């Protein structure tokens, strides 16, 4: 649906995500006049607030989480906000919500930032109140299920009220500038795409490392673990963007279609190609931190670390391993993609004692957004009878290269696209189901082979078995 919405209905409006990300993102869009002047934002949650109470709540959140240079926009932004208290399990209350939303001149964008258990009653209430008509579209925050069956159940419930072209499933990693830049790097530069295949690439590494522990997510995380929390969505989306075929055009159908082909080509993981871990007490940056079970307050078999060697069974990637690694309480916070190229077929410098290292492309996604390509260069100087080569990085810092444009958080892009109806950076149903089918296969391998988390000290790079997973192929994790 291509209409631009003039109403945004925000479920879970008093939640943590709303305070930290959604309200600051919407205020930033308002500050830059990127949303329609007439856009009205209606917040709803169980909290017993009126319009002024919600504006005061939003002001507190914005003063806490919005950059100082944006704060002058807060008073004007608050005038866009209204509020209606709602218990999503009480269908009758949706009539009051519909009255609060009022007539829509252009359309209604709905954003569900709630527990998945509330998706079904919320959809039923939207239908009963007339808020799920042809002028509405809906955005869904993860998680969308805990396995393929529950995901299908949620998607069926949403599909009963909204067709696929009006469903916007959010993976906030797709809103990050460097993730979007991955497509530009591959498909707008003749340098990379001709060599983006198994003939020239030896392996790919994708790392999502966190220094934090549970951080108030006890209830969710212990029931999910690292595989469901990170691999199923963020990491598989990054893998799909790295590995997909060139889309025929830049539109949602073409891009999401190519990603789905990759996800469906993922080989079932072998028992020897996966490692799980759980952090114990240790130290990060000199500060002592407790172990997972200590934070949880009870013993648990939930994994906080996962490493997987994945394979994509198609012509482009035959024989190229994709090493995936994610974990909590690791030494530093980083998300990066490493593309390791093969050595040159013949080095004429070897007879002079010089060793040419294979080229490497490192795409840093967070905390800094940068792209580094390592090349070989002669070391300056006079060497009798010899020649020395050294790796030299060609660095592109997004912050330096684009010093003028404002640095934005991912939800700004995604909320703007939801309001305007652009599905390019959102996940299609068949993508989600392909991701869950592969993840369910990994969990089955764990169960069938008795694979349980190996302990690792907080502040380390995970269990030693994860190092061995790559080392047996002669590969070292990029750190």
């Amino acid at each position: 649906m291509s209409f631009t919405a003039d109403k945004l209905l925000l479920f879970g409006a008093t939640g943590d995500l709303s305070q930290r990300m959604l309200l600051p993102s919407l205020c930033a869009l308002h500050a830059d006049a990127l949303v329609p002047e007439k856009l009205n934002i209606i917040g709803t949650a169980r909290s017993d607030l009126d319009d002024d109470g919600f504006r005061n709540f939003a002001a507190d959140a914005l003063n806490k989480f919005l950059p100082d240079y944006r704060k002058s926009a807060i008073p004007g932004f608050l005038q866009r906000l209204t509020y209606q208290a709602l218990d999503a399990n009480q269908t009758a209350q949706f009539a009051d919500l519909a009255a609060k939303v009022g007539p829509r001149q252009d359309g209604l964008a709905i954003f569900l930032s709630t527990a998945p258990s509330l998706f079904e009653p919320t959809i039923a209430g939207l239908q009963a109140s007339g808020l799920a008509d042809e002028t509405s579209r809906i955005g869904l925050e993860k998680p969308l299920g805990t396995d393929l069956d529950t995901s299908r159940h949620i998607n069926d419930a949403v599909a009963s009220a909204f067709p696929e072209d009006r469903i916007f499933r959010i993976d906030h990693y797709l809103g990050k500038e460097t993730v979007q830049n991955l497509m530009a790097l591959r498909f707008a530069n003749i340098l990379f795409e001709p060599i983006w295949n198994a003939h020239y690439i030896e392996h790919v590494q994708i790392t999502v490392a966190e220094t934090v522990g549970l951080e108030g997510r006890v209830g969710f995380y212990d029931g999910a673990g690292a595989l469901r929390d990170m691999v199923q969505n963020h990491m598989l989306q990054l893998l799909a963007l790295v590995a997909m075929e060139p889309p025929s055009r830049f539109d949602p159908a073409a891009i999401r279609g190519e990603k789905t082909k990759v996800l469906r080509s993922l080989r079932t993981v072998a028992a020897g190609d996966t490692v799980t871990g759980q952090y114990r007490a240790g130290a990060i940056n000199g500060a002592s931190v407790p172990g997972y079970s200590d934070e949880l307050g009870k013993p648990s078999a939930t994994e906080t670390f996962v490493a997987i060697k994945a394979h994509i069974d198609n012509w482009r990637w035959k024989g190229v391993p994709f090493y995936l690694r994610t974990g909590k309480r690791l030494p530093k916070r980083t998300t990066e993609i490493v593309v390791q190229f093969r050595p040159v077929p013949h080095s004429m410098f070897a007879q002079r004692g010089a060793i040419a290292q294979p080229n490497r492309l490192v795409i840093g996604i967070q905390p800094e957004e940068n792209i580094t390509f390592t090349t070989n260069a002669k070391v300056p100087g006079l060497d009798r009878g010899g020649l020395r080569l050294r790796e030299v990085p060609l660095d592109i810092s997004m912050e330096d290269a684009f010093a003028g444009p404002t640095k934005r958080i991912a939800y700004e892009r995604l909320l703007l696209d939801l309001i305007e109806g652009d599905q390019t950076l959102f996940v299609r149903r068949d993508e989600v189901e392909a991701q869950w089918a592969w993840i369910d296969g990994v969990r089955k391998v764990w169960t069938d082979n008795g694979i349980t988390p190996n302990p690792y000290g907080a502040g380390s790079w995970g269990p030693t078995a994860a190092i061995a997973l790559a080392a047996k192929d002669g590969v070292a994790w990029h750190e």
Side-chain angles (χ1 to χ4, degrees):
M1 301 292 286
S2 60
F3 62 81
T4 298
D6 64 335
K7 300 285 181 75
L8 174 63
L9 178 53
L10 187 60
F11 283 83
T14 59
D16 183 69
L17 182 66
S18 178
Q19 294 179 67
R20 291 176 177 272
M21 295 291 178
L22 305 184
L23 291 171
S25 295
L26 289 166
C27 188
L29 294 173
H30 161 83
D32 292 336
L34 291 171
V35 291
E37 186 176 347
K38 60 188 175 181
L39 179 71
N40 177 216
I41 301 168
I42 307 97
T44 185
R46 297 187 66 169
S47 303
D48 188 15
L49 299 172
D50 58 12
D51 290 350
D52 288 338
F54 181 54
R55 289 175 185 142
N56 290 335
F57 169 88
D60 289 342
L62 293 170
N63 279 307
K64 185 176 182 181
F65 295 110
L66 202 65
D68 287 341
Y69 72 91
R70 290 283 196 198
K71 289 181 179 176
S72 61
I74 293 176
F77 172 71
L78 295 178
Q79 298 310 304
R80 294 180 181 269
L81 305 183
T82 58
Y83 184 83
Q84 178 66 44
L86 174 79
D87 181 347
N89 288 305
Q90 302 298 318
T91 304
Q93 294 185 14
F94 279 81
D96 293 332
L97 180 62
K100 191 73 175 185
V101 172
R104 286 103 73 187
Q105 181 177 343
D106 294 323
L108 174 66
I110 303 167
F111 188 103
L112 262 60
S113 174
T114 64
S117 59
L118 295 177
F119 281 10
E120 222 170 327
T122 299
I123 296 298
L126 291 170
Q127 284 182 292
S129 62
L131 288 171
D133 62 16
E134 66 278 359
T135 68
S136 303
R137 63 174 70 100
I138 191 164
L140 305 172
E141 182 63 43
K142 78 172 186 76
L144 296 180
T146 57
D147 56 21
L148 180 57
D149 287 343
T150 55
S151 176
R152 282 175 170 163
H153 184 80
I154 290 172
N155 278 314
D156 285 345
V158 178
S160 69
F162 297 89
E164 185 63 31
D165 67 349
R166 289 195 276 124
I167 300 173
F168 292 66
R169 298 174 189 84
I170 289 174
D171 184 327
H172 73 265
Y173 265 51
L174 297 181
K176 293 180 181 292
E177 289 287 354
T178 317
V179 173
Q180 297 171 59
N181 238 323
L182 181 57
M183 286 189 282
L185 184 74
R186 284 191 59 188
F187 305 129
N189 297 286
I190 193 66
L191 174 65
F192 289 113
E193 188 54 30
I195 60 171
W196 207 261
N197 55 58
H199 187 69
Y200 296 100
I201 292 176
E202 182 181 83
H203 71 265
V204 177
Q205 298 180 28
I206 302 175
T207 294
V208 179
E210 300 180 284
T211 57
V212 299
L214 287 175
E215 280 206 321
R217 302 175 72 213
V218 176
F220 165 75
Y221 193 87
D222 197 53
L227 185 70
R228 291 173 171 139
D229 184 44
M230 279 290 183
V231 182
Q232 185 273 332
N233 40 76
H234 303 327
M235 299 193 77
L236 287 185
Q237 282 294 313
L238 294 178
L239 180 148
L241 286 169
V242 170
M244 71 180 183
E245 295 297 317
S248 58
R249 57 195 180 280
F250 190 80
D251 70 17
I255 291 172
R256 299 194 296 178
E258 295 301 341
K259 286 195 294 173
T260 303
K261 291 177 186 177
V262 172
L263 296 168
R264 287 175 172 167
S265 299
L266 281 167
R267 185 190 305 172
T268 301
V269 173
D273 289 341
T274 176
V275 173
T276 70
Q278 184 185 101
Y279 64 84
R280 300 290 188 259
I284 299 177
N285 297 324
S288 297
V289 295
Y292 179 78
S293 294
D294 298 323
E295 283 189 75
L296 191 62
K298 62 180 181 179
S300 172
T302 297
E303 80 285 351
T304 62
F305 177 97
V306 177
I308 297 173
K309 182 170 75 170
H311 289 274
I312 299 169
D313 287 334
N314 62 22
W315 279 32
R316 180 181 288 260
W317 298 110
K318 185 66 175 177
V320 177
F322 284 70
Y323 298 95
L324 313 181
R325 173 179 61 165
T326 184
K328 288 187 174 294
R329 295 294 191 201
L330 300 182
K332 66 178 181 179
R333 173 176 173 262
T334 184
T335 299
E336 67 176 18
I337 300 167
V338 178
V339 180
Q340 180 65 60
F341 291 91
R342 298 187 185 278
V344 294
H346 169 71
S347 177
M348 67 180 184
F349 304 105
Q351 56 190 296
R352 291 289 192 96
I355 300 175
Q357 298 296 330
N359 300 127
R360 181 190 304 117
L361 178 69
V362 181
I363 302 165
I365 296 170
Q366 63 181 19
E368 287 83 28
E369 298 179 340
N370 53 61
I371 299 169
T372 302
F373 185 63
T374 61
T375 64
N376 292 287
K378 178 188 176 297
V379 177
L382 300 176
D383 300 292
R384 297 184 63 184
L387 179 144
R388 289 183 297 150
L389 297 177
R390 192 176 74 189
E391 288 183 287
V392 177
L394 303 179
D395 289 327
I396 304 173
S397 166
M398 295 297 110
E399 189 170 346
D400 293 340
F402 301 100
T406 301
K407 186 175 182 179
R408 299 188 178 278
I409 59 176
Y411 279 97
E412 293 179 44
R413 172 80 268 165
L414 298 175
L415 285 167
L416 181 60
D417 286 353
L418 173 63
I419 291 166
E420 294 186 338
D422 186 341
Q423 289 185 307
T424 304
L425 299 178
F426 296 82
V427 185
R428 207 166 61 189
R429 176 171 181 164
D430 53 354
E431 282 184 80
V432 175
E433 294 188 353
Q435 290 171 186
W436 274 122
W438 191 72
I439 293 296
D440 285 356
V442 174
R443 294 193 66 85
K444 184 176 187 301
V445 168
W446 291 357
T447 301
D448 291 349
N449 293 274
I451 296 173
T452 56
N454 296 298
Y456 64 95
S460 72
W461 279 105
T464 55
I467 299 173
L469 175 66
K472 66 185 180 182
D473 297 330
V475 172
W477 290 104
H478 183 258
E479 295 172 4

